[in-house]
């Protein structure tokens, strides 16, 4: 999984019917220090994450194992809101 | 699978109910020589790994298999701990 920061919402009225009712958030992957890394991605929110929160993203077909997503065309889902990500160096 | 070092952990109280009880580890992929290679990822522990250990990580859909028949939504899981003697032999 990846750590990412919620940076916005994506609204798409015209979409695959299986995406109807799912909240799409724009998230930016970050390193454990919180520094953005790579390009932002769109992920389905399954835990009611808020803007600015650091979240846990699961990608690929494993994303469809997250809540209610079995036959949904998604490849990224938010599966947790991070309380802390601690490196022990 | 790939080799990575456990460099930390993640706590997330609000999460998918199927991840409850899962230990979330920060994993840093390594090169064959044991050097850092690329971005760190977060994975679920299925091998009892501790911080500082070198581990084997499975990615993708197969990462959920160690927990079957339970459905655990993960795309990275620690499935083994590299024997310290193997690490010494590489140097």
């Amino acid at each position: 999984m990846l750590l990412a920061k919620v940076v916005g919402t994506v609204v798409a009225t015209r979409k695959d019917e299986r995406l109807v009712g799912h909240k799409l958030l724009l998230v930016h992957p970050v390193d454990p220090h919180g520094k953005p890394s790579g390009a932002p991605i769109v992920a389905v929110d399954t835990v009611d994450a808020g803007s600015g929160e650091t979240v846990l993203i699961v990608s690929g077909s494993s994303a469809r194992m997250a809540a209610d997503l079995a036959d949904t065309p998604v490849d990224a889902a938010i599966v947790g809101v991070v309380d802390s990500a601690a490196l022990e160096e | 699978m790939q080799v990575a070092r456990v460099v930390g952990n993640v706590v997330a109280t609000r999460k998918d109910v199927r991840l409850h009880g899962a230990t979330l580890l920060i994993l840093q992929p390594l090169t064959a020589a044991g050097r850092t290679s690329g971005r760190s990822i977060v994975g679920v522990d299925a091998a009892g790994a501790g911080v500082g250990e070198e581990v084997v990580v499975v990615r993708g859909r197969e990462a959920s298999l160690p927990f079957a028949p339970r459905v655990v939504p993960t795309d990275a899981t620690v499935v083994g701990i590299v024997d310290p003697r193997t690490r010494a032999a590489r140097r």
Side-chain angles (χ1 to χ4, degrees), chain A residues 1-6 27 43-47 49 53-59 76-82 85, chain B residues 10-12 14-16 19 24-26 41-44 73 75:
Chain A
M1 281 139 323
L2 292 178
L3 296 170
K5 196 167 286 253
V6 179
V27 300
V44 174
D45 181 22
T46 73
V47 296
E53 290 194 299
T54 300
V55 293
L56 206 54
I57 304 288
V58 67
S59 305
I78 300 173
V79 290
V81 175
V82 174
Chain B
V10 170
V11 176
R14 284 155 59 199
K15 57 181 179 274
D16 188 299
L19 280 172
L24 300 168
L25 300 173
I26 304 177
I41 58 172
V42 178
V44 177
D75 57 12

PDB file of all heavy atoms in Angstrom, chain A residues 1-6 27 43-47 49 53-59 76-82 85, chain B residues 10-12 14-16 19 24-26 41-44 73 75:
ATOM      1  N   MET A   1       0.843  -1.201   0.000  1.00  0.00           N
ATOM      2  CA  MET A   1       0.000   0.000   0.000  1.00  0.00           C
ATOM      3  C   MET A   1       0.873   1.245   0.000  1.00  0.00           C
ATOM      4  O   MET A   1       2.082   1.133   0.237  1.00  0.00           O
ATOM      5  CB  MET A   1      -0.894  -0.009   1.237  1.00  0.00           C
ATOM      6  CG  MET A   1      -2.061  -0.932   1.015  1.00  0.00           C
ATOM      7  SD  MET A   1      -2.578  -1.975   2.367  1.00  0.00           S
ATOM      8  CE  MET A   1      -1.195  -2.508   3.215  1.00  0.00           C
ATOM      9  N   LEU A   2       0.272   2.373  -0.275  1.00  0.00           N
ATOM     10  CA  LEU A   2       0.999   3.634  -0.287  1.00  0.00           C
ATOM     11  C   LEU A   2       0.394   4.595   0.717  1.00  0.00           C
ATOM     12  O   LEU A   2      -0.807   4.549   0.994  1.00  0.00           O
ATOM     13  CB  LEU A   2       0.898   4.301  -1.673  1.00  0.00           C
ATOM     14  CG  LEU A   2       1.596   3.627  -2.849  1.00  0.00           C
ATOM     15  CD1 LEU A   2       1.315   4.418  -4.118  1.00  0.00           C
ATOM     16  CD2 LEU A   2       3.097   3.508  -2.623  1.00  0.00           C
ATOM     17  N   LEU A   3       1.240   5.485   1.218  1.00  0.00           N
ATOM     18  CA  LEU A   3       0.720   6.590   2.018  1.00  0.00           C
ATOM     19  C   LEU A   3       0.415   7.719   1.047  1.00  0.00           C
ATOM     20  O   LEU A   3       1.167   7.940   0.096  1.00  0.00           O
ATOM     21  CB  LEU A   3       1.786   7.057   3.010  1.00  0.00           C
ATOM     22  CG  LEU A   3       2.208   6.045   4.072  1.00  0.00           C
ATOM     23  CD1 LEU A   3       3.430   6.540   4.820  1.00  0.00           C
ATOM     24  CD2 LEU A   3       1.065   5.782   5.042  1.00  0.00           C
ATOM     25  N   ALA A   4      -0.671   8.447   1.263  1.00  0.00           N
ATOM     26  CA  ALA A   4      -1.005   9.551   0.364  1.00  0.00           C
ATOM     27  C   ALA A   4      -1.790  10.602   1.130  1.00  0.00           C
ATOM     28  O   ALA A   4      -2.420  10.304   2.141  1.00  0.00           O
ATOM     29  CB  ALA A   4      -1.828   9.043  -0.822  1.00  0.00           C
ATOM     30  N   LYS A   5      -1.725  11.820   0.619  1.00  0.00           N
ATOM     31  CA  LYS A   5      -2.471  12.917   1.244  1.00  0.00           C
ATOM     32  C   LYS A   5      -3.680  13.236   0.367  1.00  0.00           C
ATOM     33  O   LYS A   5      -3.575  13.297  -0.856  1.00  0.00           O
ATOM     34  CB  LYS A   5      -1.575  14.148   1.367  1.00  0.00           C
ATOM     35  CG  LYS A   5      -2.109  15.196   2.319  1.00  0.00           C
ATOM     36  CD  LYS A   5      -1.068  16.245   2.653  1.00  0.00           C
ATOM     37  CE  LYS A   5      -0.024  15.735   3.595  1.00  0.00           C
ATOM     38  NZ  LYS A   5      -0.062  16.216   4.959  1.00  0.00           N
ATOM     39  N   VAL A   6      -4.835  13.421   0.984  1.00  0.00           N
ATOM     40  CA  VAL A   6      -6.039  13.779   0.231  1.00  0.00           C
ATOM     41  C   VAL A   6      -5.919  15.240  -0.173  1.00  0.00           C
ATOM     42  O   VAL A   6      -5.809  16.117   0.680  1.00  0.00           O
ATOM     43  CB  VAL A   6      -7.311  13.574   1.082  1.00  0.00           C
ATOM     44  CG1 VAL A   6      -8.541  13.986   0.283  1.00  0.00           C
ATOM     45  CG2 VAL A   6      -7.417  12.128   1.544  1.00  0.00           C
ATOM     46  N   VAL A  27      -5.717  11.950  -4.519  1.00  0.00           N
ATOM     47  CA  VAL A  27      -4.740  11.764  -3.456  1.00  0.00           C
ATOM     48  C   VAL A  27      -3.336  11.825  -4.039  1.00  0.00           C
ATOM     49  O   VAL A  27      -3.090  11.390  -5.155  1.00  0.00           O
ATOM     50  CB  VAL A  27      -4.958  10.423  -2.714  1.00  0.00           C
ATOM     51  CG1 VAL A  27      -6.334  10.373  -2.081  1.00  0.00           C
ATOM     52  CG2 VAL A  27      -4.749   9.247  -3.633  1.00  0.00           C
ATOM     53  N   ALA A  43      -8.639   7.852  -6.179  1.00  0.00           N
ATOM     54  CA  ALA A  43      -8.925   6.633  -5.414  1.00  0.00           C
ATOM     55  C   ALA A  43     -10.343   6.689  -4.873  1.00  0.00           C
ATOM     56  O   ALA A  43     -10.857   7.761  -4.552  1.00  0.00           O
ATOM     57  CB  ALA A  43      -7.933   6.492  -4.260  1.00  0.00           C
ATOM     58  N   VAL A  44     -10.970   5.531  -4.770  1.00  0.00           N
ATOM     59  CA  VAL A  44     -12.312   5.456  -4.190  1.00  0.00           C
ATOM     60  C   VAL A  44     -12.185   5.515  -2.673  1.00  0.00           C
ATOM     61  O   VAL A  44     -11.366   4.811  -2.090  1.00  0.00           O
ATOM     62  CB  VAL A  44     -13.008   4.131  -4.581  1.00  0.00           C
ATOM     63  CG1 VAL A  44     -14.332   4.000  -3.855  1.00  0.00           C
ATOM     64  CG2 VAL A  44     -13.219   4.057  -6.076  1.00  0.00           C
ATOM     65  N   ASP A  45     -12.987   6.356  -2.051  1.00  0.00           N
ATOM     66  CA  ASP A  45     -12.932   6.476  -0.606  1.00  0.00           C
ATOM     67  C   ASP A  45     -13.886   5.472   0.041  1.00  0.00           C
ATOM     68  O   ASP A  45     -15.079   5.473  -0.247  1.00  0.00           O
ATOM     69  CB  ASP A  45     -13.328   7.896  -0.196  1.00  0.00           C
ATOM     70  CG  ASP A  45     -13.261   8.104   1.298  1.00  0.00           C
ATOM     71  OD1 ASP A  45     -12.541   7.348   1.985  1.00  0.00           O
ATOM     72  OD2 ASP A  45     -13.925   9.031   1.789  1.00  0.00           O
ATOM     73  N   THR A  46     -13.354   4.602   0.922  1.00  0.00           N
ATOM     74  CA  THR A  46     -14.226   3.645   1.606  1.00  0.00           C
ATOM     75  C   THR A  46     -14.244   3.882   3.110  1.00  0.00           C
ATOM     76  O   THR A  46     -14.833   3.107   3.857  1.00  0.00           O
ATOM     77  CB  THR A  46     -13.780   2.186   1.336  1.00  0.00           C
ATOM     78  OG1 THR A  46     -12.583   1.918   2.058  1.00  0.00           O
ATOM     79  CG2 THR A  46     -13.578   1.916  -0.139  1.00  0.00           C
ATOM     80  N   VAL A  47     -13.544   4.932   3.571  1.00  0.00           N
ATOM     81  CA  VAL A  47     -13.468   5.174   5.016  1.00  0.00           C
ATOM     82  C   VAL A  47     -13.831   6.607   5.397  1.00  0.00           C
ATOM     83  O   VAL A  47     -13.585   7.014   6.533  1.00  0.00           O
ATOM     84  CB  VAL A  47     -12.041   4.856   5.550  1.00  0.00           C
ATOM     85  CG1 VAL A  47     -11.726   3.390   5.382  1.00  0.00           C
ATOM     86  CG2 VAL A  47     -11.005   5.722   4.870  1.00  0.00           C
ATOM     87  N   ALA A  49     -12.646   9.643   4.305  1.00  0.00           N
ATOM     88  CA  ALA A  49     -11.461  10.454   4.565  1.00  0.00           C
ATOM     89  C   ALA A  49     -11.766  11.917   4.251  1.00  0.00           C
ATOM     90  O   ALA A  49     -12.604  12.236   3.408  1.00  0.00           O
ATOM     91  CB  ALA A  49     -10.292   9.964   3.713  1.00  0.00           C
ATOM     92  N   GLU A  53      -6.085  14.887   5.015  1.00  0.00           N
ATOM     93  CA  GLU A  53      -5.699  13.734   5.831  1.00  0.00           C
ATOM     94  C   GLU A  53      -4.727  12.844   5.070  1.00  0.00           C
ATOM     95  O   GLU A  53      -4.749  12.770   3.848  1.00  0.00           O
ATOM     96  CB  GLU A  53      -6.938  12.921   6.233  1.00  0.00           C
ATOM     97  CG  GLU A  53      -7.811  13.668   7.244  1.00  0.00           C
ATOM     98  CD  GLU A  53      -8.845  12.770   7.900  1.00  0.00           C
ATOM     99  OE1 GLU A  53      -9.701  12.219   7.200  1.00  0.00           O
ATOM    100  OE2 GLU A  53      -8.778  12.641   9.139  1.00  0.00           O
ATOM    101  N   THR A  54      -3.864  12.151   5.831  1.00  0.00           N
ATOM    102  CA  THR A  54      -2.976  11.165   5.225  1.00  0.00           C
ATOM    103  C   THR A  54      -3.685   9.825   5.291  1.00  0.00           C
ATOM    104  O   THR A  54      -4.220   9.442   6.334  1.00  0.00           O
ATOM    105  CB  THR A  54      -1.640  11.096   5.980  1.00  0.00           C
ATOM    106  OG1 THR A  54      -1.032  12.386   5.919  1.00  0.00           O
ATOM    107  CG2 THR A  54      -0.698  10.080   5.340  1.00  0.00           C
ATOM    108  N   VAL A  55      -3.719   9.141   4.156  1.00  0.00           N
ATOM    109  CA  VAL A  55      -4.490   7.910   4.066  1.00  0.00           C
ATOM    110  C   VAL A  55      -3.640   6.758   3.534  1.00  0.00           C
ATOM    111  O   VAL A  55      -2.529   6.961   3.045  1.00  0.00           O
ATOM    112  CB  VAL A  55      -5.729   8.110   3.150  1.00  0.00           C
ATOM    113  CG1 VAL A  55      -6.704   9.078   3.780  1.00  0.00           C
ATOM    114  CG2 VAL A  55      -5.312   8.574   1.756  1.00  0.00           C
ATOM    115  N   LEU A  56      -4.197   5.539   3.639  1.00  0.00           N
ATOM    116  CA  LEU A  56      -3.554   4.334   3.147  1.00  0.00           C
ATOM    117  C   LEU A  56      -4.275   3.919   1.865  1.00  0.00           C
ATOM    118  O   LEU A  56      -5.492   3.773   1.863  1.00  0.00           O
ATOM    119  CB  LEU A  56      -3.717   3.249   4.207  1.00  0.00           C
ATOM    120  CG  LEU A  56      -2.714   2.123   4.303  1.00  0.00           C
ATOM    121  CD1 LEU A  56      -1.305   2.652   4.428  1.00  0.00           C
ATOM    122  CD2 LEU A  56      -3.055   1.256   5.506  1.00  0.00           C
ATOM    123  N   ILE A  57      -3.513   3.752   0.773  1.00  0.00           N
ATOM    124  CA  ILE A  57      -4.101   3.419  -0.524  1.00  0.00           C
ATOM    125  C   ILE A  57      -3.712   2.006  -0.922  1.00  0.00           C
ATOM    126  O   ILE A  57      -2.524   1.664  -0.924  1.00  0.00           O
ATOM    127  CB  ILE A  57      -3.533   4.365  -1.613  1.00  0.00           C
ATOM    128  CG1 ILE A  57      -3.758   5.823  -1.251  1.00  0.00           C
ATOM    129  CG2 ILE A  57      -4.099   4.038  -2.977  1.00  0.00           C
ATOM    130  CD1 ILE A  57      -5.190   6.258  -1.371  1.00  0.00           C
ATOM    131  N   VAL A  58      -4.699   1.189  -1.286  1.00  0.00           N
ATOM    132  CA  VAL A  58      -4.392  -0.132  -1.831  1.00  0.00           C
ATOM    133  C   VAL A  58      -4.650  -0.061  -3.332  1.00  0.00           C
ATOM    134  O   VAL A  58      -5.609   0.568  -3.777  1.00  0.00           O
ATOM    135  CB  VAL A  58      -5.221  -1.246  -1.141  1.00  0.00           C
ATOM    136  CG1 VAL A  58      -6.696  -1.141  -1.458  1.00  0.00           C
ATOM    137  CG2 VAL A  58      -4.700  -2.609  -1.512  1.00  0.00           C
ATOM    138  N   SER A  59      -3.749  -0.661  -4.135  1.00  0.00           N
ATOM    139  CA  SER A  59      -3.831  -0.528  -5.591  1.00  0.00           C
ATOM    140  C   SER A  59      -4.012  -1.864  -6.291  1.00  0.00           C
ATOM    141  O   SER A  59      -3.857  -2.919  -5.677  1.00  0.00           O
ATOM    142  CB  SER A  59      -2.553   0.115  -6.130  1.00  0.00           C
ATOM    143  OG  SER A  59      -2.315   1.334  -5.500  1.00  0.00           O
ATOM    144  N   ALA A  76      -7.634   1.691  -7.328  1.00  0.00           N
ATOM    145  CA  ALA A  76      -7.052   2.334  -6.147  1.00  0.00           C
ATOM    146  C   ALA A  76      -8.170   2.644  -5.175  1.00  0.00           C
ATOM    147  O   ALA A  76      -9.201   3.212  -5.564  1.00  0.00           O
ATOM    148  CB  ALA A  76      -6.311   3.613  -6.526  1.00  0.00           C
ATOM    149  N   ALA A  77      -7.993   2.260  -3.898  1.00  0.00           N
ATOM    150  CA  ALA A  77      -9.009   2.512  -2.886  1.00  0.00           C
ATOM    151  C   ALA A  77      -8.337   2.965  -1.602  1.00  0.00           C
ATOM    152  O   ALA A  77      -7.256   2.488  -1.251  1.00  0.00           O
ATOM    153  CB  ALA A  77      -9.830   1.252  -2.626  1.00  0.00           C
ATOM    154  N   ILE A  78      -9.007   3.896  -0.908  1.00  0.00           N
ATOM    155  CA  ILE A  78      -8.517   4.335   0.394  1.00  0.00           C
ATOM    156  C   ILE A  78      -9.051   3.349   1.415  1.00  0.00           C
ATOM    157  O   ILE A  78     -10.263   3.164   1.523  1.00  0.00           O
ATOM    158  CB  ILE A  78      -9.039   5.751   0.725  1.00  0.00           C
ATOM    159  CG1 ILE A  78      -8.555   6.743  -0.332  1.00  0.00           C
ATOM    160  CG2 ILE A  78      -8.570   6.181   2.116  1.00  0.00           C
ATOM    161  CD1 ILE A  78      -9.149   8.130  -0.192  1.00  0.00           C
ATOM    162  N   VAL A  79      -8.164   2.683   2.144  1.00  0.00           N
ATOM    163  CA  VAL A  79      -8.593   1.675   3.109  1.00  0.00           C
ATOM    164  C   VAL A  79      -8.295   2.060   4.545  1.00  0.00           C
ATOM    165  O   VAL A  79      -8.592   1.297   5.467  1.00  0.00           O
ATOM    166  CB  VAL A  79      -7.980   0.285   2.807  1.00  0.00           C
ATOM    167  CG1 VAL A  79      -8.597  -0.297   1.551  1.00  0.00           C
ATOM    168  CG2 VAL A  79      -6.467   0.348   2.698  1.00  0.00           C
ATOM    169  N   GLY A  80      -7.698   3.242   4.763  1.00  0.00           N
ATOM    170  CA  GLY A  80      -7.435   3.638   6.137  1.00  0.00           C
ATOM    171  C   GLY A  80      -7.041   5.098   6.218  1.00  0.00           C
ATOM    172  O   GLY A  80      -6.537   5.681   5.258  1.00  0.00           O
ATOM    173  N   VAL A  81      -7.290   5.699   7.404  1.00  0.00           N
ATOM    174  CA  VAL A  81      -6.818   7.054   7.682  1.00  0.00           C
ATOM    175  C   VAL A  81      -5.665   6.895   8.661  1.00  0.00           C
ATOM    176  O   VAL A  81      -5.815   6.241   9.702  1.00  0.00           O
ATOM    177  CB  VAL A  81      -7.934   7.921   8.303  1.00  0.00           C
ATOM    178  CG1 VAL A  81      -7.386   9.286   8.690  1.00  0.00           C
ATOM    179  CG2 VAL A  81      -9.082   8.063   7.320  1.00  0.00           C
ATOM    180  N   VAL A  82      -4.516   7.463   8.310  1.00  0.00           N
ATOM    181  CA  VAL A  82      -3.304   7.234   9.092  1.00  0.00           C
ATOM    182  C   VAL A  82      -3.261   8.133  10.318  1.00  0.00           C
ATOM    183  O   VAL A  82      -3.383   9.352  10.229  1.00  0.00           O
ATOM    184  CB  VAL A  82      -2.062   7.479   8.208  1.00  0.00           C
ATOM    185  CG1 VAL A  82      -0.788   7.402   9.015  1.00  0.00           C
ATOM    186  CG2 VAL A  82      -2.028   6.461   7.075  1.00  0.00           C
ATOM    187  N   ALA A  85       2.713   7.547  11.018  1.00  0.00           N
ATOM    188  CA  ALA A  85       3.608   6.710  10.205  1.00  0.00           C
ATOM    189  C   ALA A  85       4.992   6.992  10.743  1.00  0.00           C
ATOM    190  O   ALA A  85       5.565   8.047  10.486  1.00  0.00           O
ATOM    191  CB  ALA A  85       3.505   7.087   8.730  1.00  0.00           C
TER     192      ALA A  85
ATOM    193  N   VAL B  10       2.910   1.860  10.715  1.00  0.00           N
ATOM    194  CA  VAL B  10       1.810   2.796  10.496  1.00  0.00           C
ATOM    195  C   VAL B  10       0.671   2.419  11.423  1.00  0.00           C
ATOM    196  O   VAL B  10       0.338   1.247  11.559  1.00  0.00           O
ATOM    197  CB  VAL B  10       1.333   2.726   9.022  1.00  0.00           C
ATOM    198  CG1 VAL B  10       0.038   3.502   8.828  1.00  0.00           C
ATOM    199  CG2 VAL B  10       2.409   3.254   8.089  1.00  0.00           C
ATOM    200  N   VAL B  11       0.095   3.419  12.070  1.00  0.00           N
ATOM    201  CA  VAL B  11      -1.095   3.189  12.896  1.00  0.00           C
ATOM    202  C   VAL B  11      -2.263   3.888  12.217  1.00  0.00           C
ATOM    203  O   VAL B  11      -2.176   5.061  11.857  1.00  0.00           O
ATOM    204  CB  VAL B  11      -0.905   3.747  14.322  1.00  0.00           C
ATOM    205  CG1 VAL B  11      -2.191   3.585  15.135  1.00  0.00           C
ATOM    206  CG2 VAL B  11       0.255   3.032  15.004  1.00  0.00           C
ATOM    207  N   ALA B  12      -3.354   3.144  12.013  1.00  0.00           N
ATOM    208  CA  ALA B  12      -4.544   3.732  11.391  1.00  0.00           C
ATOM    209  C   ALA B  12      -5.759   3.172  12.109  1.00  0.00           C
ATOM    210  O   ALA B  12      -6.135   2.024  11.910  1.00  0.00           O
ATOM    211  CB  ALA B  12      -4.583   3.385   9.903  1.00  0.00           C
ATOM    212  N   ARG B  14      -8.990   4.401  11.996  1.00  0.00           N
ATOM    213  CA  ARG B  14     -10.125   4.340  11.077  1.00  0.00           C
ATOM    214  C   ARG B  14      -9.671   3.625   9.820  1.00  0.00           C
ATOM    215  O   ARG B  14      -8.846   4.145   9.060  1.00  0.00           O
ATOM    216  CB  ARG B  14     -10.578   5.769  10.717  1.00  0.00           C
ATOM    217  CG  ARG B  14     -11.369   6.458  11.804  1.00  0.00           C
ATOM    218  CD  ARG B  14     -11.254   7.970  11.682  1.00  0.00           C
ATOM    219  NE  ARG B  14     -11.731   8.450  10.387  1.00  0.00           N
ATOM    220  CZ  ARG B  14     -11.413   9.647   9.884  1.00  0.00           C
ATOM    221  NH1 ARG B  14     -10.622  10.449  10.539  1.00  0.00           N
ATOM    222  NH2 ARG B  14     -11.879  10.039   8.715  1.00  0.00           N
ATOM    223  N   LYS B  15     -10.189   2.410   9.614  1.00  0.00           N
ATOM    224  CA  LYS B  15      -9.784   1.677   8.414  1.00  0.00           C
ATOM    225  C   LYS B  15     -10.819   0.633   8.036  1.00  0.00           C
ATOM    226  O   LYS B  15     -11.749   0.367   8.786  1.00  0.00           O
ATOM    227  CB  LYS B  15      -8.421   1.018   8.608  1.00  0.00           C
ATOM    228  CG  LYS B  15      -8.318   0.078   9.790  1.00  0.00           C
ATOM    229  CD  LYS B  15      -6.896  -0.484   9.879  1.00  0.00           C
ATOM    230  CE  LYS B  15      -6.715  -1.398  11.054  1.00  0.00           C
ATOM    231  NZ  LYS B  15      -6.359  -0.645  12.267  1.00  0.00           N
ATOM    232  N   ASP B  16     -10.650   0.082   6.860  1.00  0.00           N
ATOM    233  CA  ASP B  16     -11.506  -1.000   6.384  1.00  0.00           C
ATOM    234  C   ASP B  16     -11.572  -2.068   7.482  1.00  0.00           C
ATOM    235  O   ASP B  16     -10.553  -2.463   8.050  1.00  0.00           O
ATOM    236  CB  ASP B  16     -10.909  -1.584   5.096  1.00  0.00           C
ATOM    237  CG  ASP B  16     -11.834  -2.582   4.417  1.00  0.00           C
ATOM    238  OD1 ASP B  16     -12.174  -3.614   5.039  1.00  0.00           O
ATOM    239  OD2 ASP B  16     -12.195  -2.350   3.258  1.00  0.00           O
ATOM    240  N   LEU B  19      -9.136  -4.903   7.756  1.00  0.00           N
ATOM    241  CA  LEU B  19      -7.739  -4.675   8.122  1.00  0.00           C
ATOM    242  C   LEU B  19      -7.579  -4.579   9.636  1.00  0.00           C
ATOM    243  O   LEU B  19      -6.477  -4.371  10.135  1.00  0.00           O
ATOM    244  CB  LEU B  19      -7.214  -3.386   7.478  1.00  0.00           C
ATOM    245  CG  LEU B  19      -6.809  -3.486   6.012  1.00  0.00           C
ATOM    246  CD1 LEU B  19      -6.494  -2.103   5.458  1.00  0.00           C
ATOM    247  CD2 LEU B  19      -5.601  -4.395   5.832  1.00  0.00           C
ATOM    248  N   LEU B  24       0.668  -2.988  10.284  1.00  0.00           N
ATOM    249  CA  LEU B  24       1.065  -2.292   9.060  1.00  0.00           C
ATOM    250  C   LEU B  24       2.514  -1.827   9.196  1.00  0.00           C
ATOM    251  O   LEU B  24       2.844  -1.059  10.097  1.00  0.00           O
ATOM    252  CB  LEU B  24       0.144  -1.081   8.838  1.00  0.00           C
ATOM    253  CG  LEU B  24      -1.341  -1.421   8.701  1.00  0.00           C
ATOM    254  CD1 LEU B  24      -2.187  -0.164   8.793  1.00  0.00           C
ATOM    255  CD2 LEU B  24      -1.597  -2.140   7.380  1.00  0.00           C
ATOM    256  N   LEU B  25       3.369  -2.297   8.305  1.00  0.00           N
ATOM    257  CA  LEU B  25       4.791  -1.988   8.387  1.00  0.00           C
ATOM    258  C   LEU B  25       5.228  -1.115   7.218  1.00  0.00           C
ATOM    259  O   LEU B  25       4.735  -1.271   6.102  1.00  0.00           O
ATOM    260  CB  LEU B  25       5.614  -3.283   8.353  1.00  0.00           C
ATOM    261  CG  LEU B  25       5.340  -4.288   9.468  1.00  0.00           C
ATOM    262  CD1 LEU B  25       6.098  -5.573   9.217  1.00  0.00           C
ATOM    263  CD2 LEU B  25       5.715  -3.698  10.818  1.00  0.00           C
ATOM    264  N   ILE B  26       6.177  -0.192   7.475  1.00  0.00           N
ATOM    265  CA  ILE B  26       6.778   0.584   6.399  1.00  0.00           C
ATOM    266  C   ILE B  26       7.966  -0.233   5.893  1.00  0.00           C
ATOM    267  O   ILE B  26       8.847  -0.610   6.680  1.00  0.00           O
ATOM    268  CB  ILE B  26       7.235   1.977   6.869  1.00  0.00           C
ATOM    269  CG1 ILE B  26       6.052   2.727   7.485  1.00  0.00           C
ATOM    270  CG2 ILE B  26       7.810   2.776   5.697  1.00  0.00           C
ATOM    271  CD1 ILE B  26       6.407   4.099   8.041  1.00  0.00           C
ATOM    272  N   ILE B  41       7.076   1.446   0.819  1.00  0.00           N
ATOM    273  CA  ILE B  41       5.661   1.096   0.702  1.00  0.00           C
ATOM    274  C   ILE B  41       5.172   0.661   2.080  1.00  0.00           C
ATOM    275  O   ILE B  41       5.972   0.473   3.001  1.00  0.00           O
ATOM    276  CB  ILE B  41       5.431  -0.056  -0.301  1.00  0.00           C
ATOM    277  CG1 ILE B  41       6.221  -1.297   0.119  1.00  0.00           C
ATOM    278  CG2 ILE B  41       5.768   0.378  -1.713  1.00  0.00           C
ATOM    279  CD1 ILE B  41       5.917  -2.542  -0.694  1.00  0.00           C
ATOM    280  N   VAL B  42       3.872   0.494   2.204  1.00  0.00           N
ATOM    281  CA  VAL B  42       3.293   0.000   3.446  1.00  0.00           C
ATOM    282  C   VAL B  42       2.745  -1.394   3.181  1.00  0.00           C
ATOM    283  O   VAL B  42       2.043  -1.616   2.192  1.00  0.00           O
ATOM    284  CB  VAL B  42       2.167   0.932   3.943  1.00  0.00           C
ATOM    285  CG1 VAL B  42       1.546   0.368   5.214  1.00  0.00           C
ATOM    286  CG2 VAL B  42       2.712   2.324   4.184  1.00  0.00           C
ATOM    287  N   GLY B  43       3.065  -2.352   4.043  1.00  0.00           N
ATOM    288  CA  GLY B  43       2.591  -3.719   3.844  1.00  0.00           C
ATOM    289  C   GLY B  43       2.054  -4.301   5.144  1.00  0.00           C
ATOM    290  O   GLY B  43       2.354  -3.812   6.233  1.00  0.00           O
ATOM    291  N   VAL B  44       1.252  -5.339   4.989  1.00  0.00           N
ATOM    292  CA  VAL B  44       0.706  -6.037   6.149  1.00  0.00           C
ATOM    293  C   VAL B  44       1.677  -7.153   6.537  1.00  0.00           C
ATOM    294  O   VAL B  44       2.245  -7.820   5.686  1.00  0.00           O
ATOM    295  CB  VAL B  44      -0.673  -6.637   5.816  1.00  0.00           C
ATOM    296  CG1 VAL B  44      -1.204  -7.427   6.998  1.00  0.00           C
ATOM    297  CG2 VAL B  44      -1.648  -5.536   5.441  1.00  0.00           C
ATOM    298  N   PRO B  73      -7.906  -6.694   2.275  1.00  0.00           N
ATOM    299  CA  PRO B  73      -7.570  -5.831   1.132  1.00  0.00           C
ATOM    300  C   PRO B  73      -6.170  -5.241   1.235  1.00  0.00           C
ATOM    301  O   PRO B  73      -5.987  -4.126   1.674  1.00  0.00           O
ATOM    302  CB  PRO B  73      -8.642  -4.739   1.189  1.00  0.00           C
ATOM    303  CG  PRO B  73      -8.993  -4.636   2.632  1.00  0.00           C
ATOM    304  CD  PRO B  73      -8.840  -6.015   3.209  1.00  0.00           C
ATOM    305  N   ASP B  75      -2.183  -5.004  -0.909  1.00  0.00           N
ATOM    306  CA  ASP B  75      -1.436  -5.280  -2.140  1.00  0.00           C
ATOM    307  C   ASP B  75       0.052  -5.478  -1.835  1.00  0.00           C
ATOM    308  O   ASP B  75       0.876  -5.532  -2.736  1.00  0.00           O
ATOM    309  CB  ASP B  75      -1.642  -4.161  -3.168  1.00  0.00           C
ATOM    310  CG  ASP B  75      -1.239  -2.793  -2.628  1.00  0.00           C
ATOM    311  OD1 ASP B  75      -0.598  -2.742  -1.558  1.00  0.00           O
ATOM    312  OD2 ASP B  75      -1.555  -1.785  -3.265  1.00  0.00           O
TER     313      ASP B  75
END
